[in-house]
Amino acid sequence: MKLASIPLLVCAGLVSFGAQAADMAKARQTADTVCKACHGADGDAPTAPNFPRLAGQHADYLEQALLAYKSGARKDPTMAAQVTALSRDDISALAKYFASKHGKLSHAR
């Protein structure tokens, strides 16, 4: 690898990091404004026994569940309405956000 290409790789990494940080900020905002009503603060304090705890769940599980609600494969009118406006990237970021939280379901890292 030529030394001239190293700054380009560093810049590409910084742009990627910046995009990930923006995605996580958007996910945190969605969680605070939409998800919190049923799943509680940080997804760790459901407001009713039939609402699952999201904090500490595996990101891939959360992402697949949200995509299933969006496609209609998984049925719940409230969740279907919540995911309608979310893009696949939004769903992925939201799943990673809740997985990063250390709730009562936290898994070993």
Side-chain angles (χ1 to χ4, degrees), residues 21-41:
D23 289 347
M24 289 303 275
K26 185 177 178 184
R28 183 176 52 248
Q29 182 181 15
T30 300
D32 287 346
T33 58
V34 179
C35 308
K36 180 178 175 178
C38 296
H39 300 283

Side-chain angles (χ1 to χ4, degrees), residues 63-80:
E63 185 171 355
Q64 291 306 311
L66 291 172
L67 289 171
Y69 285 122
K70 188 169 177 78
S71 73
R74 199 167 178 175
K75 308 286 186 205
D76 182 272
T78 302
M79 284 302 301

Side-chain angles (χ1 to χ4, degrees), residues 10-64:
V10 170
C11 287
L14 291 175
V15 168
S16 176
F17 177 76
Q20 289 174 358
D23 289 347
M24 289 303 275
K26 185 177 178 184
R28 183 176 52 248
Q29 182 181 15
T30 300
D32 287 346
T33 58
V34 179
C35 308
K36 180 178 175 178
C38 296
H39 300 283
D42 291 330
D44 196 36
T47 58
N50 58 324
F51 299 139
R53 190 174 305 275
L54 303 177
Q57 290 279 10
H58 292 278
D60 57 343
Y61 168 76
L62 292 171
E63 185 171 355
Q64 291 306 311

